[in-house]
Amino acid sequence: MAAAALGGLGLLRARLRLAAAAAATSAALGRTGHRAPPLRGGVAAAVPSAGRSYGSQAKEEEELRVRYLDDEHKGIVVLGLNRSHAKNALSKNLVKMMSKAVDALKSDKKVRTVVFRSEVPGIFCAGADLKERAKMHSSEVSSFVSRARATINELANLPVPTIAAIDGTALGGGLELALACDIRVAASSAKMGLVETKLAIIPGAGGTQRLPRTIGVSLAKELIFSARIVDGEEAKSIGLISHVVEQNEAGDAAYRRALALAREFLPQGPVAMRVAKLAINQGMEVDLVTGLAIEEACYAQTIPTKDRIEGLLAFKEKRPPRYKGE
């Protein structure tokens, strides 16, 4: 039953568009005579330091360092941008490494939360590597942007919660990368903005779509039209980030806050977390009637799991649940 439930979660992504939308469309037509919009898309303890190796070994020269945390952080995976010479700018190689890492994470049932951070002090990601881009043929630029967009979309579609820890500057593609995460935490001194219009282009990796969905259409237009850069405090006030923290001497205050937040997610039912994210993401793209049908279909995926049985038993016995993600 448990294995079937997990398999059903995968099939659910494909079936939601037809089953839920069809049911809601029928109901909507009966009330208004208008067709419902189509469903879019796919579905403070000790803090590990940047220099410590745990889980998988990380090499200093790697542009993206993947860490599977241990002990009280077990289940948390940290993806660390590590291109100090280029301010973590998105190069072809870095995008390739990100795509490979995300592809591995999406099928790993042991992963409970992913934290995206920088291991370069004072910078999160400066956007696309313009020096590399200047050497590209026009056809290569188009291909690179498409690959970067697809990779960021893959990050957005990871089935587990994702948190961006912004301890420094996040501009252009760097902010688009953070916007693809479920939750953003930033230091008050961090700088963020979609600045592409200064270069006579527009955000090309989801910025024109995710920023309005995050802070509202009018304000998103204002920020993109002006190429304005905001700090952590202003980003919090407009809803661009969920938490703002004062930077510390180590320069990793946002990372520490992100880890603390991720630890809050660890005790919860793994299957429920995945299904909850799917229900929220899918439901935000449709009308309420369709969204409620999606929630119903997603809720049904949690009923046959061992996680649910363990959760009810733990509640009855007044003890912490011991979930296995089945």
PDB file of all heavy atoms in Angstrom, residues 152-153 155-157 162 175-184 205 210 277:
ATOM      1  N   ILE A 152      16.129  26.048 -13.662  1.00  0.00           N
ATOM      2  CA  ILE A 152      15.453  26.752 -12.577  1.00  0.00           C
ATOM      3  C   ILE A 152      14.031  26.221 -12.413  1.00  0.00           C
ATOM      4  O   ILE A 152      13.522  26.097 -11.290  1.00  0.00           O
ATOM      5  CB  ILE A 152      15.478  28.271 -12.828  1.00  0.00           C
ATOM      6  CG1 ILE A 152      16.920  28.783 -12.643  1.00  0.00           C
ATOM      7  CG2 ILE A 152      14.524  29.014 -11.909  1.00  0.00           C
ATOM      8  CD1 ILE A 152      17.112  30.251 -12.955  1.00  0.00           C
ATOM      9  N   ASN A 153      13.383  25.872 -13.513  1.00  0.00           N
ATOM     10  CA  ASN A 153      12.051  25.255 -13.426  1.00  0.00           C
ATOM     11  C   ASN A 153      12.123  23.904 -12.722  1.00  0.00           C
ATOM     12  O   ASN A 153      11.228  23.535 -11.962  1.00  0.00           O
ATOM     13  CB  ASN A 153      11.440  25.083 -14.818  1.00  0.00           C
ATOM     14  CG  ASN A 153      10.955  26.387 -15.414  1.00  0.00           C
ATOM     15  OD1 ASN A 153      10.724  27.363 -14.692  1.00  0.00           O
ATOM     16  ND2 ASN A 153      10.791  26.424 -16.727  1.00  0.00           N
ATOM     17  N   LEU A 155      14.242  23.095 -10.443  1.00  0.00           N
ATOM     18  CA  LEU A 155      14.390  23.414  -9.027  1.00  0.00           C
ATOM     19  C   LEU A 155      13.031  23.743  -8.417  1.00  0.00           C
ATOM     20  O   LEU A 155      12.693  23.270  -7.320  1.00  0.00           O
ATOM     21  CB  LEU A 155      15.352  24.594  -8.847  1.00  0.00           C
ATOM     22  CG  LEU A 155      15.463  25.181  -7.431  1.00  0.00           C
ATOM     23  CD1 LEU A 155      16.018  24.144  -6.470  1.00  0.00           C
ATOM     24  CD2 LEU A 155      16.353  26.423  -7.443  1.00  0.00           C
ATOM     25  N   ALA A 156      12.256  24.550  -9.111  1.00  0.00           N
ATOM     26  CA  ALA A 156      10.929  24.932  -8.614  1.00  0.00           C
ATOM     27  C   ALA A 156      10.021  23.717  -8.448  1.00  0.00           C
ATOM     28  O   ALA A 156       9.146  23.705  -7.573  1.00  0.00           O
ATOM     29  CB  ALA A 156      10.284  25.944  -9.566  1.00  0.00           C
ATOM     30  N   ASN A 157      10.225  22.701  -9.281  1.00  0.00           N
ATOM     31  CA  ASN A 157       9.355  21.520  -9.265  1.00  0.00           C
ATOM     32  C   ASN A 157       9.877  20.383  -8.394  1.00  0.00           C
ATOM     33  O   ASN A 157       9.307  19.289  -8.402  1.00  0.00           O
ATOM     34  CB  ASN A 157       9.132  21.015 -10.690  1.00  0.00           C
ATOM     35  CG  ASN A 157       8.249  21.942 -11.496  1.00  0.00           C
ATOM     36  OD1 ASN A 157       7.328  22.557 -10.962  1.00  0.00           O
ATOM     37  ND2 ASN A 157       8.528  22.066 -12.788  1.00  0.00           N
ATOM     38  N   THR A 162      11.987  23.775  -0.538  1.00  0.00           N
ATOM     39  CA  THR A 162      13.279  24.367  -0.897  1.00  0.00           C
ATOM     40  C   THR A 162      13.379  25.753  -0.270  1.00  0.00           C
ATOM     41  O   THR A 162      12.404  26.507  -0.248  1.00  0.00           O
ATOM     42  CB  THR A 162      13.451  24.476  -2.418  1.00  0.00           C
ATOM     43  OG1 THR A 162      12.338  25.203  -2.976  1.00  0.00           O
ATOM     44  CG2 THR A 162      13.518  23.097  -3.063  1.00  0.00           C
ATOM     45  N   LEU A 175      18.465  36.217  -8.538  1.00  0.00           N
ATOM     46  CA  LEU A 175      17.179  36.385  -7.870  1.00  0.00           C
ATOM     47  C   LEU A 175      16.144  35.438  -8.460  1.00  0.00           C
ATOM     48  O   LEU A 175      15.286  34.913  -7.737  1.00  0.00           O
ATOM     49  CB  LEU A 175      16.702  37.834  -7.982  1.00  0.00           C
ATOM     50  CG  LEU A 175      15.371  38.143  -7.281  1.00  0.00           C
ATOM     51  CD1 LEU A 175      15.406  37.725  -5.816  1.00  0.00           C
ATOM     52  CD2 LEU A 175      15.024  39.618  -7.408  1.00  0.00           C
ATOM     53  N   GLU A 176      16.214  35.186  -9.762  1.00  0.00           N
ATOM     54  CA  GLU A 176      15.294  34.234 -10.374  1.00  0.00           C
ATOM     55  C   GLU A 176      15.482  32.841  -9.775  1.00  0.00           C
ATOM     56  O   GLU A 176      14.513  32.098  -9.573  1.00  0.00           O
ATOM     57  CB  GLU A 176      15.503  34.199 -11.884  1.00  0.00           C
ATOM     58  CG  GLU A 176      15.028  35.461 -12.581  1.00  0.00           C
ATOM     59  CD  GLU A 176      15.285  35.446 -14.074  1.00  0.00           C
ATOM     60  OE1 GLU A 176      16.463  35.307 -14.474  1.00  0.00           O
ATOM     61  OE2 GLU A 176      14.317  35.568 -14.841  1.00  0.00           O
ATOM     62  N   LEU A 177      16.722  32.500  -9.481  1.00  0.00           N
ATOM     63  CA  LEU A 177      17.022  31.236  -8.828  1.00  0.00           C
ATOM     64  C   LEU A 177      16.370  31.184  -7.449  1.00  0.00           C
ATOM     65  O   LEU A 177      15.738  30.185  -7.080  1.00  0.00           O
ATOM     66  CB  LEU A 177      18.538  31.085  -8.700  1.00  0.00           C
ATOM     67  CG  LEU A 177      19.098  29.793  -8.108  1.00  0.00           C
ATOM     68  CD1 LEU A 177      18.720  28.607  -8.971  1.00  0.00           C
ATOM     69  CD2 LEU A 177      20.613  29.898  -7.978  1.00  0.00           C
ATOM     70  N   ALA A 178      16.487  32.266  -6.691  1.00  0.00           N
ATOM     71  CA  ALA A 178      15.874  32.321  -5.365  1.00  0.00           C
ATOM     72  C   ALA A 178      14.352  32.300  -5.443  1.00  0.00           C
ATOM     73  O   ALA A 178      13.684  31.692  -4.600  1.00  0.00           O
ATOM     74  CB  ALA A 178      16.348  33.577  -4.627  1.00  0.00           C
ATOM     75  N   LEU A 179      13.792  32.960  -6.447  1.00  0.00           N
ATOM     76  CA  LEU A 179      12.339  32.986  -6.612  1.00  0.00           C
ATOM     77  C   LEU A 179      11.771  31.599  -6.897  1.00  0.00           C
ATOM     78  O   LEU A 179      10.597  31.334  -6.625  1.00  0.00           O
ATOM     79  CB  LEU A 179      11.951  33.948  -7.746  1.00  0.00           C
ATOM     80  CG  LEU A 179      11.990  35.442  -7.417  1.00  0.00           C
ATOM     81  CD1 LEU A 179      11.902  36.268  -8.697  1.00  0.00           C
ATOM     82  CD2 LEU A 179      10.870  35.810  -6.461  1.00  0.00           C
ATOM     83  N   ALA A 180      12.588  30.726  -7.450  1.00  0.00           N
ATOM     84  CA  ALA A 180      12.131  29.368  -7.749  1.00  0.00           C
ATOM     85  C   ALA A 180      12.053  28.509  -6.492  1.00  0.00           C
ATOM     86  O   ALA A 180      11.459  27.426  -6.526  1.00  0.00           O
ATOM     87  CB  ALA A 180      13.057  28.710  -8.776  1.00  0.00           C
ATOM     88  N   CYS A 181      12.635  28.974  -5.403  1.00  0.00           N
ATOM     89  CA  CYS A 181      12.567  28.242  -4.139  1.00  0.00           C
ATOM     90  C   CYS A 181      11.249  28.567  -3.428  1.00  0.00           C
ATOM     91  O   CYS A 181      10.667  29.632  -3.620  1.00  0.00           O
ATOM     92  CB  CYS A 181      13.747  28.607  -3.243  1.00  0.00           C
ATOM     93  SG  CYS A 181      15.351  28.053  -3.881  1.00  0.00           S
ATOM     94  N   ASP A 182      10.798  27.656  -2.590  1.00  0.00           N
ATOM     95  CA  ASP A 182       9.526  27.845  -1.889  1.00  0.00           C
ATOM     96  C   ASP A 182       9.598  28.995  -0.898  1.00  0.00           C
ATOM     97  O   ASP A 182       8.624  29.736  -0.714  1.00  0.00           O
ATOM     98  CB  ASP A 182       9.146  26.561  -1.138  1.00  0.00           C
ATOM     99  CG  ASP A 182       8.956  25.387  -2.080  1.00  0.00           C
ATOM    100  OD1 ASP A 182       8.271  25.549  -3.109  1.00  0.00           O
ATOM    101  OD2 ASP A 182       9.492  24.302  -1.787  1.00  0.00           O
ATOM    102  N   ILE A 183      10.742  29.133  -0.231  1.00  0.00           N
ATOM    103  CA  ILE A 183      10.901  30.120   0.837  1.00  0.00           C
ATOM    104  C   ILE A 183      12.241  30.817   0.651  1.00  0.00           C
ATOM    105  O   ILE A 183      13.225  30.185   0.270  1.00  0.00           O
ATOM    106  CB  ILE A 183      10.852  29.439   2.219  1.00  0.00           C
ATOM    107  CG1 ILE A 183       9.506  28.728   2.407  1.00  0.00           C
ATOM    108  CG2 ILE A 183      11.092  30.445   3.345  1.00  0.00           C
ATOM    109  CD1 ILE A 183       9.486  27.757   3.568  1.00  0.00           C
ATOM    110  N   ARG A 184      12.263  32.126   0.921  1.00  0.00           N
ATOM    111  CA  ARG A 184      13.505  32.884   0.818  1.00  0.00           C
ATOM    112  C   ARG A 184      13.813  33.557   2.156  1.00  0.00           C
ATOM    113  O   ARG A 184      12.921  34.173   2.759  1.00  0.00           O
ATOM    114  CB  ARG A 184      13.395  33.958  -0.284  1.00  0.00           C
ATOM    115  CG  ARG A 184      13.489  33.399  -1.682  1.00  0.00           C
ATOM    116  CD  ARG A 184      12.907  34.327  -2.720  1.00  0.00           C
ATOM    117  NE  ARG A 184      11.479  34.553  -2.522  1.00  0.00           N
ATOM    118  CZ  ARG A 184      10.544  33.657  -2.824  1.00  0.00           C
ATOM    119  NH1 ARG A 184      10.886  32.482  -3.325  1.00  0.00           N
ATOM    120  NH2 ARG A 184       9.263  33.912  -2.599  1.00  0.00           N
ATOM    121  N   ALA A 205      14.566  33.810 -17.043  1.00  0.00           N
ATOM    122  CA  ALA A 205      14.538  32.514 -16.360  1.00  0.00           C
ATOM    123  C   ALA A 205      13.427  32.472 -15.320  1.00  0.00           C
ATOM    124  O   ALA A 205      13.593  31.947 -14.237  1.00  0.00           O
ATOM    125  CB  ALA A 205      15.892  32.217 -15.724  1.00  0.00           C
ATOM    126  N   ARG A 210       7.434  34.745 -11.909  1.00  0.00           N
ATOM    127  CA  ARG A 210       7.451  34.421 -10.480  1.00  0.00           C
ATOM    128  C   ARG A 210       7.434  35.661  -9.592  1.00  0.00           C
ATOM    129  O   ARG A 210       6.869  35.632  -8.495  1.00  0.00           O
ATOM    130  CB  ARG A 210       8.667  33.539 -10.152  1.00  0.00           C
ATOM    131  CG  ARG A 210       8.562  32.159 -10.767  1.00  0.00           C
ATOM    132  CD  ARG A 210       9.590  31.175 -10.209  1.00  0.00           C
ATOM    133  NE  ARG A 210       9.360  29.853 -10.760  1.00  0.00           N
ATOM    134  CZ  ARG A 210       9.990  29.350 -11.812  1.00  0.00           C
ATOM    135  NH1 ARG A 210      10.923  30.065 -12.413  1.00  0.00           N
ATOM    136  NH2 ARG A 210       9.699  28.154 -12.269  1.00  0.00           N
ATOM    137  N   LYS A 277       2.994  20.251  -0.971  1.00  0.00           N
ATOM    138  CA  LYS A 277       3.640  21.174  -1.915  1.00  0.00           C
ATOM    139  C   LYS A 277       2.986  21.069  -3.290  1.00  0.00           C
ATOM    140  O   LYS A 277       2.729  22.087  -3.946  1.00  0.00           O
ATOM    141  CB  LYS A 277       5.133  20.872  -2.020  1.00  0.00           C
ATOM    142  CG  LYS A 277       5.857  21.761  -3.044  1.00  0.00           C
ATOM    143  CD  LYS A 277       7.357  21.608  -2.981  1.00  0.00           C
ATOM    144  CE  LYS A 277       8.035  22.451  -4.049  1.00  0.00           C
ATOM    145  NZ  LYS A 277       9.509  22.452  -3.954  1.00  0.00           N
TER     146      LYS A 277
END
